[in-house]
Amino acid sequence: MAILGKDMTFGLFFLNSVAPWKTDAEELRDGLAQIKEADRLGFHSAWIAEHNARAYGVVSSTSVYLAAAAAQTSKIMLGSAVSRLPLHHPLQVAEDMALVDIISDGRLYLGVGKGYDALEFEAYNIDFEERHEKYLESLDILTTALKNNRVSYSGKFYDIKDIPVYPRPVHPEGPPIFVMVSGNDASMVNAAKQGHSFVLGGITNEDTNHKISLYKKTALDSGLSQEYVDNAIARSGKLLFCHVAETTEQAQDEYKRGLEWYMSERDNRPTFGVVDRERHLDYDRFLNSENALIGSPEKVIEDIERYKRETGLNNIILWMNIGGQPQQQVIQSMNLFSEKVMPHFLKSENLVR
């Protein structure tokens, strides 16, 4: 059942892949133009991925790209999805993200993760096998640094002695922190214990419900109030593939090329249940999966209604520009979604702002 008392919100996800038909500069400039258009169209958030040594994601620093996006927008929330904490010093992440928070006038969502790609760690000479421990330690330091003027910490990886942290974020408690969660329940448990919100990806609606129930129980058992837990979940959402065109056939035809290239390039793990280790994509299975919103405005509305019924979540992060989609095609999809899909979820009488 959908959570009452809150309209749905829709964000956009940006991986910034450089497909063979685009240059790095074209893709990065196109992404910023899309975020600026999303701000105009009323999308709630824009989320930037961070990668290195991979053509499927060429933003090596979420803070730099988010700062550029913040300077060109005025309303849209701006999120990192994610800042890979084991690859950075946590104090520098806190400083850089606080700077983005100020530039955006408090519009930052700070998404964090541990990273999953061994090649990206090897490129920086960072031990891949230590990433889980280092992530937990870094997240403790980051959370402390965003909420306090000074940080002291002694751990396996970091020894910090009463260091001041500048600049300070807009709000004294710091920007909301989001943990990205896919198949691993442990990530959800850690997020719940620390009271962070979450973004889900690559899982079924059934597993989504399981993880939300796990989050609620763990957070309440950890001493967090019902109100706090409800607010943390209300901010949370799920990543879904999306493309809207005048007809479903057109949408499916247009989305395929970029998706196929991305899936073939991203060869280091199976993806969203529709790609195997041999990089084979079952496009029909993809189109019929719970993670795909590909079609006419009417079909996408129906699919989102099912999502609401089956997950209870009011927020979706839409992945429109996958694999270097043509710029005008993405802009058209964004406009159709804003004009014909979004209003359907903003005027329900039993959902109030």
Side-chain angles (χ1 to χ4, degrees), residues 62-127:
T62 54
S63 60
V64 172
Y65 204 69
L66 287 169
Q72 298 182 38
T73 57
S74 61
K75 302 180 295 295
I76 193 168
M77 299 298 296
L78 300 168
S80 56
V82 297
S83 177
R84 301 159 301 163
L85 295 188
L87 294 177
H88 309 290
H89 194 290
L91 284 187
Q92 184 169 12
V93 175
E95 294 160 352
D96 289 348
M97 289 302 182
L99 190 57
V100 173
D101 194 48
I102 292 169
I103 294 170
S104 67
D105 195 22
R107 291 185 284 129
L108 177 66
Y109 282 162
L110 179 48
V112 298
K114 68 183 68 173
Y116 62 82
D117 188 344
L119 174 63
E120 295 180 353
F121 282 73
E122 292 167 8
Y124 292 162
N125 274 337
I126 295 175
D127 191 335

Side-chain angles (χ1 to χ4, degrees), residues 13 15-17 49-62 81-88 113-129 131 134 262 265-269:
F13 175 68
L15 185 57
N16 298 106
S17 302
E50 178 182 271
H51 287 284
N52 63 288
R54 292 290 189 184
Y56 63 68
V58 296
V59 173
S60 56
S61 169
T62 54
V82 297
S83 177
R84 301 159 301 163
L85 295 188
L87 294 177
H88 309 290
K114 68 183 68 173
Y116 62 82
D117 188 344
L119 174 63
E120 295 180 353
F121 282 73
E122 292 167 8
Y124 292 162
N125 274 337
I126 295 175
D127 191 335
F128 181 72
E129 298 304 323
R131 72 191 187 285
K134 197 172 184 183
Y262 166 75
E265 181 70 16
R266 190 176 182 271
D267 60 357
N268 53 334
R269 66 175 184 174

